[in-house]
Amino acid sequence: MIAVAAGTNRIDPYLIPALDGVAYGLLVFVAASGLVFCFGVANILNLAHGLLYAIGGYTAAALLDGGWASLALALAVGVLAAAAAGVLLAGLLTPVATGNHLSQALLTFGVALAGGSLLVAGFGPDNPQVQVPAALEGSVMVAGHRYAAYRLVFIVVAAVLAAALYLVVRRTRAGMLVRAAVDDPEMVACLGVSPARIRAGVLAAAGALAGAAGVLGAPIIGPGTGTADTVLLLSLVVVVLGGLGSMAGTLLAALAIGEIQTLGVALLPSAAPFLLFAAMAAVLAVRARGLAGRWRAA
Amino acid sequence: MRGEVIRRVPGGIAALVLVGLVVAPWVVDDYTTAILARTLALALVGVSVALLTGVAGMPTLGQTAPYAAGAYACAVVGSRVSDIGVVQLVVAAAAGALLAALTVPLVVHARGVIVLMITLAIGELVVIVLGRWRSVTGGTDGLAGIPPVRPFWGLPALANDQARYLYALVVVAMLVGAVLVLLRTRAGLVLRAGRDDETRLRASGHRVALHLSGAHIAAGAIAGAAGSLLVVAQQYISPADFGFDTSALLLLGVVIGGTASVGGALVGAALVIAVRDWLFGVLPGHAPLVLGALFVATVYLLPTGVNRARGRLRPPNAPAPQPDQPAAHDQTTVAELHR
């Protein structure tokens, strides 16, 4: 899609990367919020989170054929498949629920390894092509510049998703339970909500979010052998930058990463590899104690 | 009398294993010897993981970062500056320690699963940097054609796999010995005490963050030295050597070995890496699937695991000095209290 922008003759060097950064950042936000839930609510470092995204991505590549119906179908199938994988993961985690974080992290890594291998076996080792709906294939004019229509629509859809997520967490009973579980898991257990059910629910929600991100974001971070690792890393950096305290923090961190990955690369190509590092170091150096304190409390 | 015999069993086994390792290159073929040399390097990284995870209580998934820093520093020095093994080893250890020192502010205030997450991010970012910083690292193609190393000034270059393996074995034995000695000093005691009851240690005037920083840098230096051994063993390196799966495998090996035991970490890491290499040899397409299933199975076989295994394994391996004993005794209750 960057190639589309580069092919036009009037390119403002900063506007298009900045807009790309928003699309990228919102994608990372939807993907990472699943990991934030896992981490903040169930206190599990889910190393298979990238796999859940990849499931969505491969679903999109397999089902999309250029029509709107296929997009809806892919979205439904991808979300369901990834949510089912999340529930399966929760089931696998049940025997080690009382164990320590190390075993849980190692178990999810094993699942990621095996699941990634199954995806490659099922869909082949090459990165599949993703076909967006025909109506969105072209480009539109944004303030005098050409911009890929799909990305523009994606920005709107992802913003709606983010708003919906915010409302669910803030206003519904399930969201209240999630926030309560972050604050005081023992108390929530005392209220009669089974921790196993919370874990299954959280992993299913994380799967659904990652799956949705995988389907809708397939034209941006496409499915492939390295996808799971990339998404896991970006989500981890979001958690490090944004903390677990608020969705606004997660959103800001994700947008910052999006801009770093696009605008940062356009502005400072030579320093690009170090930019994510520098951002992480800067944030942690400024508020290391505060962040750690809140995390330990969470 | 019987207690005396039992106490000497681990030492006897260690001596037997060492003898086996020394004669190994004359028993197996060249290819296996080269694989063994690489496994030794990874086992040494496993020791640094155990030092952080088990002894200092900072579970890490990012020791591939200083390992990679050491390996690339050694490769650059080896191809452009000096082919002397000692120089390369020191440069690699310094590079690993430097990277660890730079990342200290990121990890030192975090605990538990947060450290896992941050170290994982650091490790992955280092791999990305290695893949993109072409002018120094050669990008994803890596660095090849690194000349054979000469262990010391005046000695001949290590031209065959046996010699390189023995060099790696000698370095690993010396470094592991140094770690074991260091852990019996006061520094090791304070580290373990901080792991078992940080609040109590802080209350008695110890600067826990300082100790953890020291442990982190020392572990980085060990991992960096291991990176130099990797370069000696395979004479080429690429970012694929330092992926996130390597970190996870090493952590699994260290958990199998009992997290706080240096000997256990060596054996566990070597075992896990050997299984991986074997699987990729016999099942080329499906190795990750089987390996993932083995991960899950292993985690189930070590159920509530790590603490219990640690309690069981520690006394024979490290006869704990007196002040450590109460802490070792109540470490589960301390963890409960601490929450």
Side-chain angles (χ1 to χ4, degrees):
Chain A
M1 297 299 155
I2 293 172
V4 174
T8 58
N9 43 12
R10 289 182 54 201
I11 300 168
D12 182 335
Y14 305 127
L15 178 80
I16 293 302
L19 206 55
D20 257 345
V22 174
Y24 202 93
L26 284 172
L27 173 59
V28 172
F29 169 75
V30 178
S33 50
L35 190 74
V36 174
F37 278 152
C38 263
F39 204 71
V41 182
N43 207 2
I44 292 169
L45 177 55
N46 181 11
L47 299 181
H49 190 69
L51 174 71
L52 302 175
Y53 178 96
I55 290 176
Y58 275 110
T59 310
L63 294 181
L64 287 185
D65 61 2
W68 289 105
S70 71
L71 182 64
L73 180 69
L75 193 57
V77 172
V79 167
L80 281 178
V87 173
L88 186 71
L89 196 60
L92 284 171
L93 278 167
T94 309
V96 290
T98 52
N100 57 6
H101 298 128
L102 273 185
S103 347
Q104 293 173 345
L106 288 172
L107 189 127
T108 57
F109 175 76
V111 172
L113 208 57
S117 170
L118 285 177
L119 282 181
V120 170
F123 294 94
D126 304 320
N127 296 0
Q129 287 294 313
V130 179
Q131 223 179 354
V132 301
L136 298 179
E137 218 161 347
S139 53
V140 289
M141 300 299 282
V142 179
H145 303 284
R146 282 181 176 276
Y147 192 68
Y150 185 85
R151 292 201 171 202
L152 210 57
V153 173
F154 177 83
I155 290 177
V156 175
V157 172
V160 170
L161 256 179
L165 198 61
Y166 178 82
L167 285 178
V168 167
V169 170
R170 278 283 135 198
R171 294 291 159 86
T172 66
R173 192 171 162 75
M176 244 180 265
L177 216 56
V178 162
R179 281 181 289 137
V182 172
D183 287 340
D184 193 342
E186 280 92 355
M187 195 65 211
V188 174
C190 284
L191 291 174
V193 185
S194 148
R197 271 182 54 198
I198 291 195
R199 197 167 47 243
V202 161
L203 277 162
L209 282 168
V215 173
L216 296 173
I220 299 174
I221 302 180
T225 43
T227 309
D229 272 6
T230 311
V231 172
L232 178 64
L233 170 71
L234 290 174
S235 307
L236 285 174
V237 178
V238 166
V239 178
V240 172
L241 290 181
L244 299 169
S246 68
M247 279 183 61
T250 309
L251 181 61
L252 273 180
L255 286 175
I257 287 174
E259 293 299 338
I260 288 172
Q261 295 282 69
T262 53
L263 192 60
V265 170
L267 285 173
L268 299 165
S270 58
F274 307 99
L275 284 174
L276 272 185
F277 237 141
M280 220 167 84
V283 166
L284 284 177
V286 168
R287 40 175 233 180
R289 274 169 186 282
L291 211 62
R294 203 167 65 211
W295 274 344
R296 237 177 293 170
Chain B
M1 189 62 197
R2 194 158 159 265
E4 180 81 359
V5 171
I6 289 175
R7 207 173 311 143
R8 291 196 177 182
V9 164
I13 293 176
L16 271 180
V17 169
L18 197 60
V19 170
L21 284 174
V22 169
V23 299
W26 285 276
V27 181
V28 298
D29 57 57
D30 277 358
Y31 176 71
T32 314
T33 309
I35 298 264
L36 277 177
R38 198 185 62 189
T39 308
L40 277 178
L42 281 162
L44 189 59
V45 186
V47 169
S48 80
V49 173
L51 195 63
L52 285 176
T53 304
V55 178
M58 290 200 291
T60 174
L61 272 171
Q63 277 307 97
T64 43
Y67 178 48
Y72 274 90
C74 173
V76 169
V77 167
S79 26
R80 294 181 198 175
V81 183
S82 162
D83 62 349
I84 304 297
V86 179
V87 174
Q88 294 185 6
L89 207 55
V90 169
V91 168
L98 181 68
L99 184 70
L102 288 176
T103 51
V104 155
L106 305 185
V107 296
V108 78
H109 295 296
R111 295 291 177 271
V113 70
I114 310 275
V115 188
L116 271 185
M117 187 187 70
I118 295 177
T119 51
L120 172 57
I122 292 171
E124 285 282 277
L125 285 174
V126 164
V127 171
I128 290 183
V129 169
L130 291 179
R132 296 215 189 129
W133 196 10
R134 284 174 197 287
S135 55
V136 175
T137 64
T140 46
D141 299 335
L143 295 172
I146 301 152
V149 70
R150 285 190 292 153
F152 210 76
W153 290 273
L155 288 180
L158 304 177
N160 58 20
D161 286 317
Q162 271 98 347
R164 287 194 282 268
Y165 166 81
L166 286 179
Y167 169 78
L169 186 61
V170 168
V171 173
V172 169
M174 284 184 352
L175 286 175
V176 169
V179 169
L180 286 174
V181 169
L182 207 66
L183 285 181
R184 294 193 183 206
T185 62
R186 207 181 142 67
L189 191 61
V190 169
L191 266 186
R192 283 197 294 267
R195 170 199 72 199
D196 291 340
D197 191 342
E198 187 179 333
T199 322
R200 195 192 294 171
L201 198 68
R202 193 168 280 160
S204 61
H206 291 277
R207 293 204 278 177
V208 177
L210 202 66
H211 301 144
L212 288 182
S213 310
H216 194 251
I217 293 171
I222 295 169
S228 149
L229 294 183
L230 178 77
V231 173
V232 171
Q234 52 181 36
Q235 292 184 302
Y236 80 91
I237 45 172
S238 75
D241 290 319
F242 311 102
F244 150 49
D245 50 341
T246 310
S247 296
L249 282 167
L250 288 174
L251 189 60
L252 181 71
V254 167
V255 169
I256 290 175
T259 63
S261 142
V262 169
L266 274 173
V267 175
L271 186 74
V272 171
I273 298 294
V275 168
R276 178 196 66 176
D277 290 344
W278 177 74
L279 272 180
F280 274 82
V282 293
L283 290 172
H286 299 288
L289 182 62
V290 180
L291 199 59
L294 282 179
F295 254 85
V296 176
T298 314
V299 171
Y300 284 155
L301 289 176
L302 298 163
T304 48
V306 184
N307 269 328
R308 209 173 52 191
R310 188 162 70 195
R312 205 174 53 224
L313 282 178
R314 242 174 81 201
N317 272 316
Q322 265 180 346
D324 195 27
Q325 248 147 15
H329 188 244
D330 66 10
Q331 68 197 11
T332 46
T333 47
V334 162
E336 294 292 307
L337 274 178
H338 195 54
R339 264 206 286 170

